[in-house]
Amino acid sequence: MAIQTFTAAQILTAAQMNALQGNDYNQTVSTKTANYVLTAADKGTRIAMNAAGATSITVNTSLFSAGDSLFIQNIGAGTCTVTAGTATVTTASSLALAQWGGGTLYFTSASAAIFFSQQSATYGVATGGTSSSITVGGINYTLLAFTSDGTLTVTKAGLFDVMLIGGGGGGSNYNPDFNGGGGGAGGVAVATIYLDAISQAVDVGAGGTGASISPTSGLTSFLGSLTVGSTVAPVAVGGGAGGAAGTAKAGGSGGGQSTAGGASAGGSGTSGQGNAGSGGIGTNLATGGAGGGGGAGAVGGAGTALIGGAGGAGLSIATFIQTATTVAGGGGGQRQSGSSGAGGTGGGGAASNAGTGTAGTANTGGGGGGGATGAAGGSGVVYVRFKV
């Protein structure tokens, strides 16, 4: 039964004593089948949510005091979310309870509570993209690959591993004063996140056109309340554009750069998602190559007097998708009258002396090569996996 208040010298009936004894071992249970707002009478009881669809339990102020508690459990198929109404609710776990999940709601004041979850986080289930079965480190997963925009439909709330690769930046065009710098590779972001049972749009960043930064790749609605094992936000930054002096752009990886009057640095990479591009060298087209764009695995190569810089190496993702695959290589830098830079391993496009650079490979986030016409970067890709 709910906690009661007794007065001095009050004589308890047999029914009251039996109820008190029962409460020590079996809390009074009230079953809810729809959204519910807690009341003061719920103190010391057990709330059991039993609904096929998503529900919520709302917590408001001035109903409970410091030290009060109650237990919330979900026995229904739909996710039940403990929701802060006018009170605040904090947790080190998740406020979204999958079926058979539960925990204690403990009040530190009349307006603040902590939810101590007693469920260990488990992997969810989802559909979308191209599905395959993989085994990594002896663990079986379902892998969903999105090579274009799509929808991730989460049919069971839980944890998901995500790898997001942004589109590659475009290589730069040369002009009478500067060679074309290589485009930076798209950023690579990896995280384990909690997602509710809801459909989410997946954005796959296109490669940047010549000398342009690429869009990001990611989940457009990050609705989960828990990020586990990583502080990386669930979005991968697009690659930076290659450019002439002073114009190489930052991105997932920085764009390569050409220069007049000596060496200079290329665009910077986004911390944790890529590397910097490199600068060119020399005073004009005849004496210096442009720098290569940065890759996810290494900085772009510097341009020299005779050679354009190579694109930075990409990153192997075999430990995520099982298949031996390298992504996010930087684009090569141009050298108009010499040797132009090669693209970085992982889809980076090579530069061209006098023609159009090679585009970054689709769905690798590779940067485009510089050239008389800078090439586009490769589009990104989004991978989502869950244990089976």
Side-chain angles (χ1 to χ4, degrees):
M1 69 177 183
I3 293 177
Q4 298 184 30
T5 300
F6 299 102
T7 60
Q10 179 180 347
I11 298 175
L12 300 183
T13 66
Q16 287 174 319
M17 291 297 295
N18 288 335
L20 285 172
Q21 178 176 271
N23 200 57
D24 286 338
Y25 300 97
N26 299 291
Q27 288 176 302
T28 299
V29 179
S30 59
T31 301
K32 312 299 178 185
T33 57
N35 294 339
Y36 181 67
V37 179
L38 292 178
T39 69
D42 294 319
K43 179 173 63 174
T45 69
R46 182 179 294 256
I47 306 296
M49 184 60 71
N50 188 3
T55 55
S56 63
I57 290 180
T58 301
V59 185
N60 291 324
T61 60
S62 303
L63 296 173
F64 305 95
S65 302
D68 290 344
S69 66
L70 59 106
F71 195 89
I72 297 172
Q73 63 191 37
N74 181 26
I75 61 177
T79 299
C80 174
T81 303
V82 181
T83 304
T86 55
T88 61
V89 181
T90 57
T91 185
S93 183
S94 174
L95 296 176
L97 300 176
Q99 189 173 31
W100 318 131
T104 298
L105 187 66
Y106 174 80
F107 288 84
T108 57
S109 72
S111 60
I114 303 171
F115 184 67
F116 295 95
S117 177
Q118 295 185 2
Q119 66 175 5
S120 57
T122 58
Y123 277 80
V125 178
T127 59
T130 300
S131 177
S132 61
S133 298
I134 62 171
T135 302
V136 177
I139 300 174
N140 296 324
Y141 295 91
T142 294
L143 177 71
L144 307 178
F146 292 85
T147 55
S148 59
D149 293 351
T151 300
L152 176 70
T153 302
V154 180
T155 55
K156 176 187 174 184
L159 300 179
F160 294 86
D161 300 328
V162 295
M163 173 175 281
L164 313 165
I165 302 168
S172 181
N173 307 326
Y174 89 99
N175 63 37
D177 298 313
F178 305 108
N179 287 298
V188 178
V190 182
T192 299
I193 60 178
Y194 185 95
L195 294 176
D196 290 323
I198 192 171
S199 295
Q200 298 196 75
V202 177
D203 282 345
V204 175
T209 56
S212 68
I213 298 172
S214 176
T216 61
S217 290
L219 308 179
T220 57
S221 299
F222 178 47
L223 300 177
S225 57
L226 174 66
T227 300
V228 178
S230 176
T231 57
V232 177
V235 65
V237 178
T247 63
K249 304 296 185 181
S253 289
Q257 187 171 339
S258 184
T259 187
S264 77
S268 61
T270 299
S271 176
Q273 291 195 6
N275 292 282
S278 284
I281 188 170
T283 57
N284 54 50
L285 290 176
T287 58
V299 299
T304 68
L306 298 176
I307 302 174
L315 187 70
S316 171
I317 59 171
T319 56
F320 193 95
I321 68 169
Q322 178 184 312
T323 307
T325 303
T326 301
V327 299
Q334 183 198 27
R335 175 65 163 84
Q336 174 76 355
S337 55
S339 297
S340 290
T345 56
S352 173
N353 287 19
T356 301
T358 302
T361 304
N363 300 127
T364 67
T373 302
S379 56
V381 63
V382 171
Y383 294 109
V384 178
R385 73 180 188 186
F386 52 91
K387 293 180 181 179
V388 295

